[in-house]
Amino acid sequence: MQSFDQERLDQAVASLRSLLQLGEDPQTLGTRPLEPQPLAGLSFLDIGSGSGLFSLAAIVLGARVVSLDVDADSYQCTLSLKERITSSSSNSASNDASGADPTATAHKKNDIHWDVHHASILDAEAMRSLGQFDIVYSWGVLHHTGQMKTAVAAAAARVSPGGQLAIAIYNDQGGGSRRWLAIKHGYHRLPAFLRPGYVVAVAGFYECKFALARLARGRNPLPFADWQAKKSDRGMSVWHDWVDWIGGLPFEVATPEAIVMPLRQQGFTLDNLRTVGSGWGCNEFVFRLTESTGSPQ
């Protein structure tokens, strides 16, 4: 919450627009303004909402949002952001005058529909109670549940016919993924006060490798451009991204085929796919459930 600002919100909105291909018709891109609220009238489920930033981005784009997170701190953070934006909206006149709160401009003209739940995607009863949604979104979360296949199926079950499922899953690098798992276990074997130093050491090693790779390609070896690109894509600070990479457990990975094929068998078609090739990071998928197919239960 302390690092939230209008820039991060704008970046999250742009990221959602890009992933869901909102207003990106190649025939008109760049020739007409983007629709300000392309998700107006649609329901949006954010699984693993974390800070609540992308839930708020969906609200800015017009959606009715339900956020959930199993982590108590993340739940409280999302709930605090909801209370902040609700307060800002109800007092928009004074906030406009001062320009003090970046959430004040997030959603002035329409009522805010935002529910926040402390729940797990693996809790079948809790998930059924939420109903179905036009868009189910879970970026970089389902592979941290310890039951990734079950979690993906549970997320898919919340998609209404004709709706979309947008997820990001760690890429399976084979041996590289096993090395990352060992690094993560090393992080968790350390006492808490030593973990920041461990992150600095591991991140420093890899940042040096990346710098040499950039230099070999004739690029500026300094990391700042890559850090800015990462922040623009997800609104996440470099430090928190490294902590997630080095310490995030449980940790599961999948090839693109391992995600696509089971969902195809359940009636989903692929709307958008972004892969990292053989590298590290998350492959991003946007599926659509065919109108004639009921959501898997």
Side-chain angles (χ1 to χ4, degrees), residues 4 8-9 12-13 16 39 42-69 74-75 77-79 81-82 85 106-107 112-117 135-139 234:
F4 176 81
R8 289 184 184 277
L9 177 57
V13 169
L16 265 188
L39 301 184
L42 300 182
S43 55
F44 185 101
L45 175 62
D46 185 3
I47 300 170
S49 56
S51 69
L53 178 62
F54 278 78
S55 292
L56 179 56
I59 286 173
V60 170
L61 292 170
R64 306 186 309 275
V65 173
V66 173
S67 309
L68 66 92
D69 207 299
S74 295
Y75 162 72
C77 193
T78 300
L79 191 61
L81 183 58
K82 175 198 171 180
I85 180 62
H107 209 265
I112 296 170
H113 301 276
W114 190 358
D115 294 326
V116 183
H117 297 268
I135 300 169
V136 174
Y137 174 87
S138 188
W139 206 102
R234 293 292 305 160

Side-chain angles (χ1 to χ4, degrees), residues 184-204:
K184 289 169 182 286
H185 282 306
Y187 175 92
H188 285 276
R189 281 193 291 266
L190 292 172
F193 74 93
L194 290 178
R195 291 176 181 177
Y198 185 80
V199 172
V200 170
V202 174

Side-chain angles (χ1 to χ4, degrees), residues 72-292:
D73 290 339
S74 295
Y75 162 72
Q76 287 295 336
C77 193
T78 300
L79 191 61
S80 295
L81 183 58
K82 175 198 171 180
E83 292 170 352
R84 178 175 169 183
I85 180 62
T86 302
S87 174
S88 296
S89 179
S90 63
N91 297 286
S92 59
S94 60
N95 284 331
D96 285 347
S98 66
D101 192 336
T103 63
T105 59
H107 209 265
K108 293 180 188 175
K109 295 183 179 179
N110 297 311
D111 292 335
I112 296 170
H113 301 276
W114 190 358
D115 294 326
V116 183
H117 297 268
H118 186 203
S120 169
I121 181 63
L122 300 177
D123 185 336
E125 183 176 350
M127 291 303 100
R128 280 194 296 271
S129 71
L130 296 177
Q132 294 182 323
F133 296 81
D134 298 303
I135 300 169
V136 174
Y137 174 87
S138 188
W139 206 102
V141 171
L142 304 179
H143 50 229
H144 286 316
T145 60
Q147 300 180 50
M148 182 176 65
K149 290 182 180 179
T150 300
V152 171
R158 297 302 99 220
V159 181
S160 60
Q164 291 181 296
L165 172 67
I167 58 177
I169 301 293
Y170 280 146
N171 185 46
D172 187 350
Q173 296 178 272
S177 295
R178 289 189 289 275
R179 286 191 293 275
W180 273 114
L181 183 58
I183 289 171
K184 289 169 182 286
H185 282 306
Y187 175 92
H188 285 276
R189 281 193 291 266
L190 292 172
F193 74 93
L194 290 178
R195 291 176 181 177
Y198 185 80
V199 172
V200 170
V202 174
F205 171 77
Y206 278 97
E207 288 290 2
C208 287
K209 286 185 63 176
F210 298 156
L212 291 174
R214 286 189 289 267
L215 191 61
R217 294 194 296 268
R219 293 178 52 199
N220 184 338
L222 296 177
F224 304 117
D226 287 350
W227 289 355
Q228 183 58 42
K230 187 181 295 291
K231 181 181 177 184
S232 297
D233 182 46
R234 293 292 305 160
M236 181 183 288
S237 72
V238 174
W239 174 254
H240 285 96
D241 189 52
W242 273 116
V243 170
D244 181 59
W245 261 110
I246 294 168
L249 283 175
F251 169 75
E252 293 182 79
V253 297
T255 63
E257 294 81 6
I259 298 298
V260 171
M261 297 309 295
L263 288 170
R264 283 190 61 184
Q265 294 170 4
Q266 297 174 38
F268 286 88
T269 59
L270 196 60
D271 274 359
N272 194 14
L273 172 64
R274 300 172 178 170
T275 74
V276 294
S278 59
W280 66 350
C282 288
N283 297 318
E284 298 175 282
F285 309 84
V286 180
F287 296 93
R288 187 176 299 274
L289 184 62
T290 56
E291 292 278 1
S292 58

